[in-house]
Amino acid sequence: MKALIRYLAIVMLVYSHSAYAADPDTESNPDIQNAASGEGSNASAACPDAEVFGSKLITGVCWDCIFPISLAGGKIRAGDSVEQQPPEDANTQSTCSCPKNPHDPIAIPGLSVSFWEPARVIEVVRAPFCSPTLAGTKLKDTWRGMGVRSSAQDGKGTNKAFYQMHYMAFPLLAILDMLLDASCNPDGYMDFDLMYLTEFDPTWGNDEMALAVNFETVLFANPVALAACAVDATAATAGRPLKSMFWCAGAWGSMYPMTGNVAQGRSPVRTSSLLSARMLGKLHRLGLARKTVGAETLCRAPFHPTIHKTQYKLSMLYPVVEAKKNHWIGQHTFTWGEWRTIPAVGEDYLYMLYRYNDCCFRIF
């Protein structure tokens, strides 16, 4: 698989006018945008093939979104400089010094490096264990005895929605051997891997059980706390979200309860985006996600108990790719993707997760 991916990368470098620019015809290319055509051996309307491991891996990724790349304090930009903004608390130091391992007392000098890293793929699916990333494969043939719900809808004629989520390591730069140093890979993933499936999490489909784990829900899942989220919604749409309001997902809704239940499911794009944000918040709350932005993360990315919203950006990979830009958590879907859905064959969603990475490139 790695050999195939590297071959595609070489083809991109030879035939593209810029190695870091997405194909300008991507968003009008029917072969990419209509990825759920059912031609794959496992593809179906219930579990479509998103064709990630193909041309979309190159032309469907927003390469401009990796910028700005900061090296020793100097910034390299490409594309839209207005869209390409680092988090407000990103590292500003030009030099750094870090040991080769946590137990080494000797710090080695280096240069600080920062960039937006395409690091994860998030699947939002209707059918349990369905993986559009893996060509529409069902990871498990039956969910009997697993205690999971089987449908994205609670019932016909209701506004409630429920989806299963899959969180996958997808360190694209490491896969293509484009990382500068091991220190710029904070969690050590070097290839595709399954990290978290909500089918195995009994709290994802049960609000009461989730309350027992996330007891702070009573503080944030109430009208007063939700009213404050209007400020975050405005900030996320006009500029960037407020990282201090970790219980808000901007114009998408509330992070709490951290379950797959959404009361208003009229906009599938908004619902899938909200659940992606909730899952990230849940992983942080469980101590399974790291903070990768700031001077304190140059040598080691620590686990962080609340989501650092300005550390992340998302771009849609399926059903309609968002190849020219990405968006902040909570940014209103009218500005980037309310139209990015296809009835029946395009109601599962894939998002590429970009995280801002501050690291130290050791000189030797």
Side-chain angles (χ1 to χ4, degrees), residues 68-76 91 93-95 110-115 180 356 359-361:
I69 298 175
S70 177
L71 177 60
K75 284 186 170 56
I76 304 171
N91 171 61
Q93 301 176 14
S94 57
T95 60
L111 302 175
S112 62
V113 178
S114 305
F115 56 95
L180 295 174
Y356 198 77
C359 58
C360 183
F361 176 53

Side-chain angles (χ1 to χ4, degrees), residues 42-53:
N42 295 317
S44 68
C47 189
D49 177 6
E51 297 183 359
V52 171
F53 293 99

Side-chain angles (χ1 to χ4, degrees), residues 147-300:
V148 300
R149 294 159 67 178
S150 60
S151 175
Q153 300 296 330
D154 280 342
K156 294 182 178 180
T158 71
N159 293 325
K160 296 181 180 180
F162 179 85
Y163 289 84
Q164 299 289 354
M165 310 290 296
H166 303 151
Y167 188 63
M168 300 176 170
F170 204 88
L172 192 55
L173 300 184
I175 291 173
L176 297 176
D177 286 338
M178 295 171 65
L179 273 179
L180 295 174
D181 190 75
S183 60
C184 291
N185 188 6
D187 41 30
Y189 283 95
M190 298 297 294
D191 212 334
F192 175 85
D193 200 358
L194 291 172
M195 299 180 67
Y196 172 74
L197 286 77
T198 56
E199 288 88 342
F200 296 105
D201 184 353
T203 68
W204 185 251
N206 190 305
D207 292 350
E208 290 77 14
M209 190 176 295
L211 176 61
V213 177
N214 307 115
F215 52 85
E216 73 277 11
T217 301
V218 296
L219 299 176
F220 301 117
N222 61 72
V224 176
L226 291 175
C229 291
V231 178
D232 184 50
T234 302
T237 304
R240 55 186 160 201
L242 303 175
K243 65 183 180 66
S244 58
M245 301 182 71
F246 60 87
W247 67 92
C248 298
W252 302 345
S254 174
M255 291 280 192
Y256 292 88
M258 290 183 175
T259 68
N261 299 312
V262 179
Q264 297 293 326
R266 295 175 180 174
S267 169
V269 174
R270 172 188 166 275
T271 299
S272 62
S273 298
L274 173 61
L275 293 180
S276 299
R278 282 187 179 181
M279 187 192 64
L280 284 173
K282 187 181 186 71
L283 292 174
H284 275 279
R285 183 66 179 82
L286 295 175
L288 299 175
R290 300 173 183 267
K291 181 183 179 185
T292 60
V293 61
E296 69 275 19
T297 69
L298 288 174
C299 298
R300 183 170 79 68

Side-chain angles (χ1 to χ4, degrees), residues 35-163:
S37 59
E39 296 177 356
S41 59
N42 295 317
S44 68
C47 189
D49 177 6
E51 297 183 359
V52 171
F53 293 99
S55 60
K56 188 184 293 186
L57 188 62
I58 303 301
T59 58
V61 174
C62 179
W63 294 100
D64 283 349
C65 297
I66 297 174
F67 296 91
I69 298 175
S70 177
L71 177 60
K75 284 186 170 56
I76 304 171
R77 296 184 180 274
D80 191 344
S81 60
V82 176
E83 292 286 339
Q84 298 166 358
Q85 296 296 330
E88 69 277 18
D89 56 346
N91 171 61
T92 57
Q93 301 176 14
S94 57
T95 60
C96 54
S97 58
C98 296
K100 284 192 173 182
N101 63 73
H103 305 292
D104 193 341
I106 301 175
I108 300 174
L111 302 175
S112 62
V113 178
S114 305
F115 56 95
W116 285 100
E117 176 196 6
R120 302 285 185 266
V121 166
I122 298 175
E123 291 184 334
V124 190
V125 296
R126 297 163 293 170
F129 300 104
C130 164
S131 179
T133 303
L134 298 176
T137 300
K138 293 295 289 291
L139 302 177
K140 192 173 183 297
D141 292 334
T142 176
W143 50 90
R144 181 180 301 171
M146 298 301 298
V148 300
R149 294 159 67 178
S150 60
S151 175
Q153 300 296 330
D154 280 342
K156 294 182 178 180
T158 71
N159 293 325
K160 296 181 180 180
F162 179 85
Y163 289 84

Side-chain angles (χ1 to χ4, degrees), residues 275-342:
L275 293 180
S276 299
R278 282 187 179 181
M279 187 192 64
L280 284 173
K282 187 181 186 71
L283 292 174
H284 275 279
R285 183 66 179 82
L286 295 175
L288 299 175
R290 300 173 183 267
K291 181 183 179 185
T292 60
V293 61
E296 69 275 19
T297 69
L298 288 174
C299 298
R300 183 170 79 68
F303 292 100
H304 201 259
T306 59
I307 184 172
H308 192 294
K309 290 189 294 184
T310 55
Q311 166 180 298
Y312 297 114
K313 280 191 167 185
L314 295 164
S315 70
M316 184 179 286
L317 273 178
Y318 179 85
V320 182
V321 296
E322 190 180 359
K324 296 181 179 179
K325 60 176 63 178
N326 54 16
H327 54 274
W328 295 104
I329 289 178
Q331 185 175 336
H332 206 295
T333 54
F334 283 161
T335 65
W336 61 267
E338 192 62 43
W339 58 93
R340 296 181 188 274
T341 188
I342 302 174

